[in-house]
Amino acid sequence: MRAARLIKMVLLLQSRSSMTAAELARELEVSERTVTRDAQALSEAGVPVYADRGRAGGYRLVGGYRTRLTGLARGEAEALFLSGVPGALREMGLEDAASAARLKVSAALLPSLRDASRTAAQRFHLDAPGWFREPVTPELLPAVADAVWDDRRVTARYLRGEGEQRREVVRELEPYGLVLKAGVWYLCARVPGHGAFRVYRVDRFTAVEPVDPAQPERFERDREFELPAFWEERAEQFARSILRTEVVVRLSPEGVRALPHSVEAAAAAAAREALAQAAGEFDGTGGGWVTVTLPVESEEVAHTQLTALGPEVEVLAPASLRERFAAQAVRLARLYGREAPDAGPDPAPERSG
């Protein structure tokens, strides 16, 4: 533990011209007294650490000293390639490895390039979760991530189904890769002996344990498996699979323009294709209304999504959904067809003093 801290201290001083005891203590997560002792230990070991006294003083390396302790461990090198997604690194438990890797790279760079990581971080940042949603880190994500990194088989307990149909199943899995989609973590894995890959939501795992000792602990990866290509194909299949029913609607030009912001991308694409075949183009500039068939997840979801279009859409079928909109229109007419209730007199202004 202390040896790693001493190495980190040397790398910090090598990548910066000078650092105060308070700055080193903050970076190393120790007290300033510990920094003093570590500096003395380095000096006794032959590392030329010099302490400048005074208000503007600090610690620095003398004479352009450079250590060769900049080789990246495998875990650090792998984490470095994920350093653009700091939130994901924290959730997978890889933040320390990535920090050490960045520090080693910085120490190995020419002095004129050492601020590259800081200037890049000031200009680009990835915030993966969607708006208005508090991201929740799955409790078992670090364990799943460790298995992914090590190509290690696991026995997983997983909640399957929804509502009263939900039940816990047990699967032995070969975890191939993790995907962070809109703040939700997914595991792409394969059941040993089955060729097909499957997708699991990590927050539905209730236990992730090593396989039976009698079984091989590690698996041989399929070299032809490519995580980005697999996820793109599976995500498209999923988006289309949830669109189990259809509704027929009439859209005004404004409704046509607003449609992609109200329904799923797959439904909007289907509508765009249908309109292109009917009118030759999909630009919402026609003078009249257009009729289109939309694939939707359910009538309930369609009602919520199409309500956002207000008077720019008219539902033609199914009859049950049209009746629901008609009833909603009656309620809105009653609500807005009367005077607003009296809110009472304005509150008296507050007195000062």
Side-chain angles (χ1 to χ4, degrees):
M1 181 70 177
R2 191 189 185 199
R5 189 176 71 243
L6 292 174
I7 292 173
K8 185 174 182 179
M9 184 174 179
V10 173
L11 292 173
L12 284 168
L13 294 175
Q14 184 172 314
S15 61
R16 308 180 194 180
S17 59
S18 177
M19 295 183 69
T20 66
E23 290 171 338
L24 283 168
R26 185 166 55 253
E27 291 280 356
L28 299 173
E29 298 181 352
V30 296
S31 66
E32 293 186 29
R33 181 171 295 183
T34 299
V35 169
T36 301
R37 289 198 295 264
D38 285 352
Q40 183 176 354
L42 287 171
S43 181
E44 292 173 353
V47 178
V49 177
Y50 181 81
D52 287 319
R53 304 296 180 183
R55 187 172 182 179
Y59 291 93
R60 61 185 177 86
L61 294 175
V62 180
Y65 175 86
R66 296 184 64 81
T67 177
R68 295 185 179 275
L69 297 173
T70 54
L72 291 177
R74 179 177 180 82
E76 294 169 345
E78 290 171 335
L80 185 62
F81 286 100
L82 294 173
S83 58
V85 281
L89 283 169
R90 277 195 306 273
E91 294 179 5
M92 289 190 292
L94 297 173
E95 187 175 25
D96 289 343
S99 176
R102 288 192 296 269
L103 189 59
K104 289 181 178 181
V105 170
S106 178
L109 292 174
L110 294 173
S112 60
L113 301 177
R114 286 178 190 162
D115 66 342
S117 61
R118 181 179 61 84
T119 56
Q122 288 176 339
R123 288 164 172 79
F124 301 100
H125 176 70
L126 175 64
D127 186 8
W131 286 105
F132 314 117
R133 177 184 299 174
E134 188 68 26
V136 178
T137 303
E139 182 180 351
L140 295 175
L141 177 60
V144 174
D146 284 344
V148 170
W149 283 117
D150 294 341
D151 296 338
R152 192 171 64 249
R153 287 189 178 93
V154 295
T155 300
R157 295 183 179 274
Y158 182 80
L159 293 176
R160 191 175 186 179
E162 300 291 343
E164 296 181 356
Q165 303 298 320
R166 177 169 289 195
R167 59 190 178 89
E168 188 177 65
V169 298
V170 180
R171 293 282 187 274
E172 184 176 318
L173 298 177
E174 296 176 346
Y176 266 69
L178 284 164
V179 175
L180 178 60
K181 171 70 172 180
V184 180
W185 284 95
Y186 296 90
L187 173 68
C188 302
R190 184 167 61 180
V191 177
H194 295 72
F197 289 90
R198 304 177 183 178
V199 177
Y200 303 84
R201 279 185 59 146
V202 178
D203 58 7
R204 292 193 176 184
F205 284 114
T206 59
V208 177
E209 302 168 346
V211 295
D212 187 323
Q215 302 293 330
E217 181 182 13
R218 286 180 168 79
F219 63 91
E220 188 70 25
R221 292 180 70 91
D222 181 349
R223 299 301 175 185
E224 296 184 359
F225 176 80
E226 294 186 5
L227 182 59
F230 167 77
W231 178 258
E232 183 178 0
E233 179 183 359
R234 185 57 59 91
E236 183 177 353
Q237 291 175 358
F238 172 76
R240 294 189 178 277
S241 70
I242 64 173
L243 305 179
R244 302 183 182 93
T245 189
E246 292 183 340
V247 299
V248 182
V249 300
R250 290 179 67 241
L251 294 166
S252 71
E254 181 60 33
V256 169
R257 285 190 290 270
L259 184 66
H261 305 291
S262 301
V263 299
E264 287 90 351
R272 187 182 302 113
E273 183 178 348
L275 287 168
Q277 292 176 354
E281 58 182 2
F282 179 71
D283 59 5
T285 59
W289 288 48
V290 292
T291 300
V292 64
T293 300
L294 291 177
V296 294
E297 183 175 348
S298 65
E299 284 192 24
E300 290 74 16
V301 173
H303 179 261
T304 300
Q305 293 175 336
L306 297 176
T307 294
L309 298 179
E312 309 303 329
V313 62
E314 178 189 3
V315 175
L316 302 180
S320 56
L321 182 58
R322 181 177 175 86
E323 291 170 2
R324 181 179 298 191
F325 272 94
Q328 183 182 43
V330 170
R331 291 180 59 194
L332 287 172
R334 288 174 181 170
L335 184 64
Y336 289 99
R338 59 186 175 85
E339 293 183 3
D342 188 1
D346 293 336
E350 295 183 2
R351 295 180 180 272
S352 60

